Amino acid sequence: MHADAVARETRRLAALLERGDLSAPVPGCPGWTLLDLVRHTGGVQRWFAALLRAGVQEAPRTREVQLDLPEREDAYGAWLVAGAELAARAFAEVDPDGPMWTWGADPHARFWVRRMLYETLVHRTDAEAALGLPTVIDPVLAADGVDEFLVNLPYATPFAPGVARLRGRDQVLRFRADDTGQEWLVQLRSDGFGLIRAAGQDAAVFVRGAAADLLLLLYGRLGRDAGAFRTAGDPELLDRWFDNSAF
């Protein structure tokens, strides 16, 4: 599912480049233009693919990778698609269950395929926002993206230092995707936080909405005041979560 979706999301992003000015600002990435967004997305895909091909077993010392940036702006769509094709070849060459260094919860090659998907998907929605276009995300894919975000967030402190402030006295935040029926319970502990699998667990905070909206909320692309959510519970805890969970 994840490998095929990377290719689809990349093609969707590439197609958007034919519809707008690459100098357009990107609301979800302050200070970036659409060209910056495209270069970042294509660069990350190429880096992840290089990690997969190398089967790295420890944190790399550099993120340098051959980008082959095009000289003309109208060639960036093809450049994105070419990067996705490089990634697809890397996916086919590696065992997804093979052990690998990752920064997240899953120390296997499949981590990078799943991570590449949501990196690409969220930036596709960023491009749509930059161009004033509506965003549609498949609910099943969106729910998997919510899960991927929440599973890996506790490990994100190296590049999202605010995550270290997500501590508590065993309070639970409950997120529910109303369209898929899935729920995620996050418990804040004195030594950290993470997902728990406790049906019927009382929650100090409850946030519910469509899976796609929840995904964009967690990534800071949609505000809680957007009218797409119902929330209940401790407002201070809710503020603390969203003030410190973005990456």
Side-chain angles (χ1 to χ4, degrees), residues 36-48:
D36 295 325
L37 180 81
V38 170
R39 285 174 172 165
H40 167 80
T41 305
V44 165
Q45 288 189 349
R46 284 163 169 80
W47 185 56
F48 286 6

Side-chain angles (χ1 to χ4, degrees), residues 2 4 28 50 53 90 103 113 138 140 145 159 246:
H2 298 128
D4 290 343
R53 287 194 300 271
W103 62 258
V113 185
D138 174 78
V140 173
F159 50 86

